[in-house]
Amino acid sequence: MRKVLVVDDEPHIRTVLRGYLKADGFEVVEAADGEAALQLVRCDPPDLVLLDVMLPGIDGLEVLRRLRTMSDAYVILVTARAEEVDKLVGLGVGADDYVTKPFSPREVIARVKAVLRRDRGGRAGEEAVLRFRGLSIDLAAREVQSDGASVALSSLEFDLLAALAGAPGRVFSRAQLLERVWGYDFYGDERVVDVHIRSLRSRLGDPAAEPRLIATVRGVGYKFVGSPR
């Protein structure tokens, strides 16, 4: 039974999510604030955390930063603020996905299941390390090096890079990347792919105007253009 930690200061939201998660066979633990959530992670590590951004005391993003020092649990941020900058900040510190309030509980469950289907390790049949000029991607260790230096990526950013680099030269549409990386019928705007591509390019030092790794195919999507080594 997979364990989900629900962190929200609103009791009725915790109650609704607990009911839906338990109905789908998940074990559920709850916390109403950041300190309680971190204590639960230390004592009783979950497989996934549904983490509200707006918490009393320590906010959700700070909780996420601290959580990442002790756990590799999957994290879905829940936010009432739709501004893209909040989503980018959250995803940049290690979140695997986000949900914006108000949300459908069924959508949340679908995202939980999809995130838990991701494999933190390498997939069977894949080359263990993808090597390109100035870039190496260790699929099993989920580590990336650019020009010999380690690059810190969120879980979702790593999956996005691995999907593109696993098929060099192939053009992926946004819909194909959503299906391949997010792993479910996405309820939001396909441009969420563009947000993550921008973040990924920034971390890899790969400008969109002169790409050495990820190129934009106008009107279609993206492709990996790194030179094999």
Side-chain angles (χ1 to χ4, degrees), residues 6-113:
V6 178
V7 188
D8 199 298
D9 62 327
E10 298 183 51
H12 73 279
I13 289 181
R14 298 199 308 272
T15 298
V16 169
L17 290 175
R18 180 178 67 241
Y20 275 83
L21 286 163
K22 284 190 172 182
D24 265 284
F26 293 100
E27 179 183 351
V28 182
V29 290
E30 302 174 34
D33 58 57
E35 289 286 4
L38 291 170
Q39 184 63 26
L40 280 170
V41 171
R42 292 187 194 99
C43 300
D44 192 17
D47 297 293
L48 182 144
V49 182
L50 275 169
L51 177 61
D52 188 30
V53 172
M54 296 295 290
L55 291 172
I58 307 173
D59 70 22
L61 297 183
E62 180 59 27
V63 171
L64 179 53
R65 291 187 186 96
R66 297 187 191 183
L67 185 151
R68 278 289 167 257
T69 68
M70 67 179 85
S71 171
D72 65 351
Y74 294 101
V75 176
I76 299 177
L77 287 179
V78 182
T79 176
R81 298 178 294 181
E83 291 88 345
E84 191 172 79
V85 65
D86 289 325
K87 297 171 185 176
L88 277 172
V89 170
L91 292 164
V93 295
D96 296 281
D97 202 353
Y98 66 86
V99 175
T100 303
K101 294 179 180 179
F103 53 73
S104 158
R106 294 187 184 279
E107 175 188 350
V108 175
I109 303 307
R111 295 195 183 198
V112 166
K113 290 179 177 179

Side-chain angles (χ1 to χ4, degrees), residues 100-150:
T100 303
K101 294 179 180 179
F103 53 73
S104 158
R106 294 187 184 279
E107 175 188 350
V108 175
I109 303 307
R111 295 195 183 198
V112 166
K113 290 179 177 179
V115 168
L116 287 171
R117 283 198 297 268
R118 295 178 191 162
D119 186 358
R120 290 266 193 219
R123 292 180 287 272
E126 286 186 327
E127 185 181 348
V129 181
L130 302 178
R131 302 182 190 278
F132 303 92
R133 188 175 302 162
L135 181 74
S136 68
I137 306 168
D138 189 324
L139 298 173
R142 295 182 67 84
E143 295 176 350
V144 174
Q145 288 197 339
S146 178
D147 295 324
S150 295

Side-chain angles (χ1 to χ4, degrees), residues 3 51 74 125 166 179 188 214:
K3 183 185 300 178
L51 177 61
Y74 294 101
E179 181 179 356
I214 302 171

